[in-house]
Amino acid sequence: MKDLNKILISSENKLLSEYLEVSLLDSIKINQAIFWLLDESEKNNFRIYKTHLLKFFSILELIFAQEYRNSFTKQQYVALENGPIPGKLKELIEEVQLNQLTNIEFIDSLAFKARKLEKGTEVIKNEEFVQSLEFLSEKDLEAMNKALKLILELKTVEKLSEFTHKSKSYYHYYGLAKKEGKNSYPMDFSIDLSKARE
């Protein structure tokens, strides 16, 4: 239990929590889920790009809303033309890729690294990250496996984007964006959650 307490109180996890604007526990779950995805993708010889990673979390939220009547984490999502994405996580990946973060301990505590390739920003495992799944429940892992299966089957980011358009919440919030003449709109998956109860 001491190790878990160390994880919880580490200043790097607090920085991640502040950056992503989520609870400390949610930030740890997000970091662990990222490492899990990158590790599993590597085993399947599948290259993960930024959009794959962002869609992974959108799919997780959709699964949690529709199947479990809950959310995976309380990340803030944004409805864009190509579907919903976690906005702050997108910013973090871009800052990592551009080497814009200055706190080395914080950078080393992240589960991923990002590098610009011809096809886009590839996201790879940070080998310095201490792998741990203690904060992920059986339900989390079950949903993560479903999301990974979809990513491996659909392969392209275009097909993944199409899949995430199935969210009723996305249609509602992106509809509001269009109505107001905007390119994006803050969103959550609450409409999918309420539809799951019907």
Side-chain angles (χ1 to χ4, degrees), residues 53-54 57 84 93 114 123 164 195:
L53 179 56
L54 298 173
F57 282 100
I93 294 168
V123 183
T164 57
K195 295 287 180 191

Side-chain angles (χ1 to χ4, degrees), residues 57-90:
F57 282 100
S58 299
I59 293 167
L60 276 178
E61 288 302 334
L62 190 55
I63 290 169
F64 262 78
Q66 293 178 340
E67 296 184 23
Y68 308 131
R69 298 178 184 169
N70 206 337
S71 66
F72 179 70
T73 64
K74 302 289 187 213
Q75 288 187 82
Q76 178 65 55
Y77 283 76
V78 180
L80 299 166
E81 183 179 358
N82 292 325
I85 60 157
K88 293 300 289 183
L89 183 56
K90 176 183 179 283

Side-chain angles (χ1 to χ4, degrees), residues 100-153:
Q100 290 180 334
L101 298 173
T102 55
N103 184 321
I104 301 302
E105 288 81 17
F106 178 45
I107 296 166
D108 288 345
S109 74
L110 297 174
F112 69 93
K113 294 185 178 195
R115 60 186 177 199
K116 188 75 175 159
L117 298 179
E118 194 175 308
K119 289 186 176 181
T121 300
E122 182 185 21
V123 183
I124 56 172
K125 280 191 312 189
N126 177 3
E127 299 295 347
E128 305 299 314
F129 183 74
V130 179
Q131 185 180 12
S132 167
L133 302 178
E134 284 100 341
F135 290 90
L136 299 169
S137 69
E138 281 184 38
K139 197 181 282 184
D140 294 336
L141 290 166
E142 184 181 307
M144 286 161 54
N145 273 297
K146 287 178 183 179
L148 174 63
K149 187 178 177 197
L150 268 169
I151 288 170
L152 295 175
E153 283 174 6

